[in-house]
Amino acid sequence: MRHQPGVLIVEDEPAIAELIAVNLRHNGFRPTWAMDSASAQRELDAVLPDVILLDWMLPGESGLSLAKRWRTNPRTKGVPIILLTARGDEVDRVAGLDAGADDYIVKPFSTKELLARVRAVLRRRAPEQVGGVVSIGALSLDASTYRVSFNDQMLKLGPTEFKLLHYLMNHAERVHSRSQLLDKVWGDHVFIEERTVDVHVKRLREALGANAGQMIETVRGAGYRLTAHVALATSSQAGA
């Protein structure tokens, strides 16, 4: 039987939740609905979904607060979160991404766009099975086991950060513009802003730590580059 990805809809407006659920169900997904933070947490504790559609404005604890909490929990850290909100200003989009959301949809949205974004985050969640193990300096990534280590210390990365690092490591020393990274990592069919790349690069650097994080360089006016030179310098200093 074909696997039906589970989608947890956290939305306090029944009409919107039902519309989303019907469209998901008709397109091969298995939706579950929670109308507030308490019921959402109960659903997560019972069964971990493949994707979370999270409304920003919820009664009680906000969706933004929930996203931050779930991102710090080891069990829910890797579940993709798509934030649903009527707040479309750039500052709100950035706040949502900084809170841990993988994507952001402004209401009102079309069901086609919603389905495309859900499928996109599911594709990003699964790492590309090409290249096997790739190592640059003391940084190593194994796509088949979904593991990243630096100086033999295991690191924890979210699904989008893992794929971003995988791409950068397979194309080391090259400068990639934000639009190029969006096309290669997110896909050219996904409608998100270039600012999203900055947020995930920041999150990736934090996950890599002080030393490995320096390997991702910002090239002013051009984009980002992953370089082995910082890793070699760091290793030399450690051995001195």
Side-chain angles (χ1 to χ4, degrees):
M1 181 179 291
R2 182 185 174 189
H3 171 64
Q4 289 186 310
V7 182
L8 175 60
I9 306 164
V10 188
E11 168 65 64
D12 64 321
E13 296 186 37
I16 295 178
E18 180 61 23
L19 177 64
I20 294 172
V22 167
N23 280 277
L24 287 171
R25 200 174 293 115
H26 286 171
N27 285 273
F29 295 93
R30 181 171 37 83
T32 306
W33 176 44
M35 67 180 302
D36 54 31
S37 59
S39 56
Q41 189 62 57
R42 285 195 298 271
E43 293 290 345
L44 279 179
D45 291 342
V47 179
L48 210 59
D50 294 288
V51 183
I52 300 172
L53 297 179
L54 180 61
D55 186 30
W56 183 319
M57 302 300 290
L58 291 170
E61 190 173 6
S62 71
L64 206 63
S65 176
L66 282 174
K68 291 178 180 177
R69 176 149 58 85
W70 290 338
R71 276 291 171 257
T72 59
N73 186 314
R75 183 171 177 269
T76 54
K77 184 176 183 179
V79 181
I81 298 173
I82 300 178
L83 206 59
L84 311 177
T85 179
R87 306 170 68 144
D89 293 339
E90 182 183 9
V91 64
D92 294 319
R93 293 173 184 265
V94 172
L97 293 168
D98 278 338
D102 295 272
D103 204 350
Y104 191 108
I105 304 181
V106 178
K107 297 177 181 179
F109 49 81
S110 71
T111 53
K112 286 185 177 180
E113 180 186 5
L114 177 65
L115 290 167
R117 288 174 181 260
V118 169
R119 294 186 182 112
V121 296
L122 284 172
R123 281 193 296 271
R124 297 203 300 271
R125 188 183 191 190
E128 296 176 1
Q129 300 299 316
V130 293
V133 177
V134 56
S135 297
I136 297 177
L139 183 63
S140 179
L141 180 149
D142 188 340
S144 61
T145 61
Y146 202 82
R147 289 176 177 166
V148 178
S149 64
F150 183 72
N151 283 331
D152 297 323
Q153 297 295 313
M154 300 304 299
L155 305 174
K156 293 183 178 180
L157 273 65
T160 303
E161 288 70 47
F162 184 93
K163 188 158 188 189
L164 177 59
L165 179 63
H166 192 196
Y167 179 78
L168 289 172
M169 290 183 71
N170 277 312
H171 303 84
E173 307 301 339
R174 301 181 193 175
V175 178
H176 306 275
S177 70
R178 290 167 178 81
S179 61
Q180 288 173 334
L181 289 174
L182 280 175
D183 287 348
K184 299 299 183 181
V185 178
W186 280 261
D188 57 8
H189 56 286
V190 179
F191 314 105
I192 49 180
E193 298 174 353
E194 292 186 1
R195 177 72 175 88
T196 301
V197 176
D198 299 333
V199 174
H200 285 286
V201 167
K202 176 186 174 185
R203 202 183 297 173
L204 174 58
R205 283 172 171 155
E206 291 172 349
L208 292 175
N211 291 328
Q214 296 179 52
M215 295 174 67
I216 302 176
E217 297 181 331
T218 300
V219 182
R220 189 176 296 276
Y224 295 103
R225 168 177 57 209
L226 188 140
T227 178
H229 300 310
V230 174
L232 293 172
T234 302
S235 300
S236 300
Q237 291 171 3

